[in-house]
Every structure is written in structure tokens, then in C-alpha cells.
Amino acid sequence: MPISYFWSREFLMNRKFLWLLFWVNLLGTIYGYIWYGNQLELTLEENPLWQIVFVPDSPTASLFFTLSLLYMLYPPTSESRLVSVIRQLIEGLAIVCSVKYGIWAVAMIVAGGWQGSEIVWEHYMLSVSHLGMALEVLLYARFMKAEPWAVTIGAAWLFINDTVDYTYGVFPWLAEPLYDDLPAIRNFTYGLSLFSFVAALVSVRLRKKE
């Protein structure tokens, strides 16, 4: 069996495999919101309510991808404009958010370890799962319906999220040594949003050429 089989339509769109991915991502999403529990509580206590939506970045990204998998398992039968727009928005957000936060989380773990923060087994688990987020969404982008306009809105959401995070201090909690490098992390985060937008656009363009 050639290795290319594992990124072929036959393999990736197999319903059993899609269901496996769905449950893995759903459970990962739930775990992610639990992981953010303390920060969510603190944000509710000390910040305006509207900022709460900008706190749990990675689990929200995986939630969008989980919903995208449902669209693949149960394609909408309605051809209405509204149904199409909602699906494309969710998929556009899934692509840009999963690429960005999958890479961002691993970069912060590596940066923290480089500066002396203790790396424990959970960090390795998070690194593997977040890299998987970025990889799986790029593999499945060609099966999604998202058009460039939806990807652009997704990217706009990323830049708004970055601005809120670093203006009001609701960015994900970092390893202690990294707080001295907050301006550099902010710039890296904005740059990664731009990279994710470009990667998403390329994935959509390549789909159209198939």
C-alpha cells in the first residue's frame, strides 16, 4: 500500500475514519475548555463579559473543525443560500484558527522550555495534539466548501482576537519566563495570523484546481 493512500480521498473520507476524528476532536475540544477553566473564571471576575469569547482559542478552533467533520458526515440537503453561508463560515474559521493555534501552542511550549520552564508529559501531549490540529485541517480543507471570502472573515476574526488578547490581557496564560517577551510574542501572534490566512487561501485555491 503506497503511503499516498493515507491522504487520499478514499482513506480520509471513509466514514469510520471520519467518526474517529469527530470523537477525538470533540473530546479534545471539551478537554480544551476544561483546561481554560481557571482563566475563564478569572476573566469573568475581572473583565467585561464580552471578552470571555476571546479566551479559549484552541478549543474553539477544534470546535469549528469538529462541526466541519459533521458537515462531511452529513452533507446538508438544502441548497439554500443561508445554509451554504453558515457552512462556509464555520469551515473558513476552522481552517485559519486550527492552523494558527495548532502552531502557536507548540511554539509557546518550545519557547518556554528554551527559557527554562519545566516541560512535563502534558506538554508533549499538547504539542502532538496541536500539531495534529494544524495538519488535519490542511488535509481536509480540500473536502470543505469554504470560499476565499469565508477564509478572509476567519482571518479577520484572528486579528480581532489578537487585538483583544494583547490590549486587554486575555491572551492564553504563558510559562512564567515568557512574560518578559510579551511584545515579541504579540508580534509573533499577529504574524502567525497572517501566515494562517495565506495557508488557508492556498489550500482553498489548490482545492479548486483538483
Side-chain angles (χ1 to χ4, degrees):
M1 180 183 299
I3 192 171
S4 59
Y5 171 75
F6 294 102
W7 57 81
S8 67
R9 175 182 287 271
E10 180 183 359
F11 177 76
L12 293 175
M13 294 300 286
N14 179 279
R15 288 187 66 83
K16 291 182 179 179
F17 188 67
L18 284 175
W19 274 117
L20 174 63
L21 276 184
F22 172 81
W23 287 111
V24 168
N25 279 274
L26 179 61
L27 293 174
T29 298
I30 295 170
Y31 175 81
Y33 283 116
I34 294 172
W35 172 274
Y36 274 93
N38 291 335
Q39 187 174 358
L40 288 168
E41 290 179 10
L42 187 64
T43 302
L44 284 173
E45 292 173 4
E46 299 185 355
N47 297 66
L49 179 62
W50 65 269
Q51 293 177 15
I52 197 72
V53 71
F54 297 98
V55 174
D57 297 331
S58 294
T60 301
S62 63
L63 175 62
F64 288 135
F65 183 69
T66 302
L67 293 174
S68 298
L69 289 171
L70 272 182
Y71 280 118
M72 295 177 203
L73 285 162
Y74 298 102
T77 56
S78 171
E79 297 295 329
S80 74
R81 178 66 175 170
L82 179 61
V83 170
S84 176
V85 166
I86 292 173
R87 176 177 184 174
Q88 289 190 54
L89 280 173
I90 289 173
E91 292 178 343
L93 285 161
I95 299 171
V96 295
C97 292
S98 295
V99 170
K100 178 191 174 174
Y101 295 117
I103 297 172
W104 188 90
V106 176
M108 293 304 105
I109 290 171
V110 171
W114 184 266
Q115 295 198 28
S117 180
E118 182 182 6
I119 301 294
V120 298
W121 71 268
E122 203 165 23
H123 290 112
Y124 293 105
M125 179 270 291
L126 289 171
S127 295
V128 171
S129 62
H130 281 78
L131 284 177
M133 280 176 55
L135 177 61
E136 68 184 0
V137 80
L138 290 175
L139 283 174
Y140 277 91
R142 73 184 196 266
F143 306 122
M144 297 180 183
K145 303 297 184 182
E147 297 289 341
W149 68 264
V151 169
T152 301
I153 291 177
W157 166 256
L158 290 184
F159 287 115
I160 292 171
N161 200 340
D162 295 342
T163 301
V164 173
D165 277 358
Y166 294 95
T167 299
Y168 299 101
V170 293
F171 52 83
W173 287 345
L174 302 167
E176 191 62 34
L178 295 180
Y179 283 92
D180 291 339
D181 302 314
L182 201 53
I185 291 173
R186 178 196 60 209
N187 294 338
F188 170 75
T189 302
Y190 274 107
L192 193 53
S193 292
L194 179 59
F195 170 82
S196 301
F197 174 48
V198 173
L201 278 181
V202 169
S203 67
V204 169
R205 297 294 186 187
L206 289 177
R207 180 196 69 203
K208 288 180 172 295
K209 291 181 179 179
E210 288 189 347

